[in-house]
Amino acid sequence: MILLQLIYSGIALGMIYAVIAFGYQLTFSTSGTLNFGQGEALMLGALVGLTLVGLGVNYWVMIPIVCIFGFAQGALVERVGVRPAIKTRSEFGWIMATIALGIIFKNVAENIWGRDDLRFPSPLPEAPIQVLGANVLPMELLVVFGALAMMLLVEIFNRKSIYGKAFVATSNDRDAAGLMGINTGMVITFSYALSSLTAAFAGVLVAPLTLTGATMGAVLGLKAFAVAIIGGLSSGMGVVVGGLILGIAETTTGFYLSTGYKDVPGLVLLLLVLTFKPAGLFGKTAIKKV
């Protein structure tokens, strides 16, 4: 039963990693770039959500407000940090720009909310419930279903709406999409906005389970990047599977060995994937003609 309980906790943690990694996938598919400030987008979403809840805003009303904030923050990152690098064809400019913006956001958060970790009140009862004989927190169930719902909504948007089809066309071939009249620059901006929206949403999901603070996004963003590499940056299913693997590995290792070693299995798996399957477990190897 202890193992089952650890698996439940690992699934909840893994789904948080997956929804952040999903944001990495969104930007990579349209522009070939990554927002290395994804963790800070999560952090800002959690802190803005905490402020709104403190002002008396209902948790469920707060979520769409935070999503709008995350959307705007992601669009700002693309406009300020990524677009200039793409225009000048700078190979590494967008990397440094997104990292720099992430540091700026972290410093701004420290000056506004302070450096101490804060408690985010849970919108659900904190008493665990029994599922197949093991205890599960209601908030952990919300994390799992909320993360799955967010990724499903994005997939439905991509498949069913005209704007989503423009997104898919740009991800398949940006040059061809541009020749067909699609504003690929706007699509890339939208992908960054959507990726930060998913991260901000993940922030308000995970915040009631952890302490909320300016430093909370650094580790989560880095581990989500590892999940994206393990699962494959071109596979939505891959980020879910990669997140579950990493989440369960961390919780079980932390209990059976030591919390000091809980990060080791994920890093070992990352090294193995990079060695034997660089495109990820579910990723497709791209062949470029030169």
Side-chain angles (χ1 to χ4, degrees), residues 22 26 40 50 73 75 86 88 92 96 103 106 112-113 146 172 195 209 211 254 282:
F22 188 64
L26 289 172
E40 280 64 38
L50 178 62
Q73 187 259 346
I86 292 178
T88 59
F92 302 109
M96 299 309 301
I103 294 172
K106 177 176 174 291
I112 295 176
W113 287 279
N172 288 333
S195 72
L209 293 173
L211 293 175
F282 293 85

Side-chain angles (χ1 to χ4, degrees), residues 65 71 94:
I65 298 175
F71 190 88
W94 57 269

Side-chain angles (χ1 to χ4, degrees), residues 120-231:
F120 197 115
S122 176
L124 299 177
E126 297 187 9
I129 59 177
Q130 288 272 327
V131 178
L132 300 177
N135 292 328
V136 183
L137 293 174
M139 199 64 211
E140 291 179 335
L141 294 176
L142 177 62
V143 165
V144 173
F145 290 111
L148 287 173
M150 171 59 73
M151 290 186 283
L152 181 61
L153 285 173
V154 173
E155 285 296 322
I156 292 174
F157 170 81
N158 287 341
R159 295 176 184 274
K160 299 297 182 181
S161 72
I162 186 67
Y163 301 104
K165 291 177 181 178
F167 187 97
V168 173
T170 303
S171 66
N172 288 333
D173 193 324
R174 187 170 58 183
D175 293 333
L179 292 174
M180 294 300 293
I182 296 174
N183 187 340
T184 56
M186 187 62 67
V187 171
I188 293 172
T189 301
F190 181 78
S191 70
Y192 266 81
L194 196 58
S195 72
S196 290
L197 182 154
T198 60
F201 177 71
V204 296
L205 284 183
V206 74
L209 293 173
T210 64
L211 293 175
T212 305
T215 59
M216 68 179 293
V219 175
L220 287 172
L222 184 61
K223 290 183 178 180
F225 178 65
V227 165
I229 299 301
I230 291 170

Side-chain angles (χ1 to χ4, degrees), residues 14 17-18 226-228 230-231 237-248 269 281-282:
Y17 293 155
V227 165
I230 291 170
M237 178 62 70
V239 297
V240 174
V241 174
L244 293 177
I245 292 173
L246 184 58
I248 293 172
L269 178 60
L281 297 177
F282 293 85

